[in-house]
Amino acid sequence: MKGYISAREASYKWGVSESRVHKLCQQGRVPGLERFGRSWVIPENAEKPIDLRNLKQPDSGKKCTL
């Protein structure tokens, strides 16, 4: 499809694994995302979503004492 790339192509473009792209697609975090049969198609100009796993949690000031 013109104007779209596959999850594999997005994984190379964004520098992440193909399974990570699939997870982002399942979560609906890629703007303009479409489902084509059993595959995801991603707009060519779609930006990589922010990785929420890497955001620092605010420090609550509490110390863990075990």
Side-chain angles (χ1 to χ4, degrees):
M1 294 179 77
K2 261 192 175 188
Y4 290 92
I5 59 175
S6 67
R8 177 172 286 170
E9 292 169 316
S11 73
Y12 290 127
K13 181 179 175 183
W14 295 342
V16 296
S17 68
E18 190 174 348
S19 62
R20 182 70 188 142
V21 173
H22 283 285
K23 186 63 108 175
L24 292 168
C25 292
Q26 290 171 349
Q27 294 172 349
R29 296 191 44 218
V30 180
L33 181 68
E34 294 287 332
R35 188 81 179 199
F36 186 70
R38 291 178 49 189
S39 301
W40 296 103
V41 287
I42 301 163
E44 286 178 334
N45 59 353
E47 295 291 323
K48 177 184 173 186
I50 295 171
D51 191 349
L52 301 175
R53 300 173 302 168
N54 292 335
L55 295 179
K56 297 219 182 239
Q57 297 294 324
D59 187 17
S60 66
K62 296 179 182 176
K63 299 288 182 190
C64 180
T65 56
L66 295 177

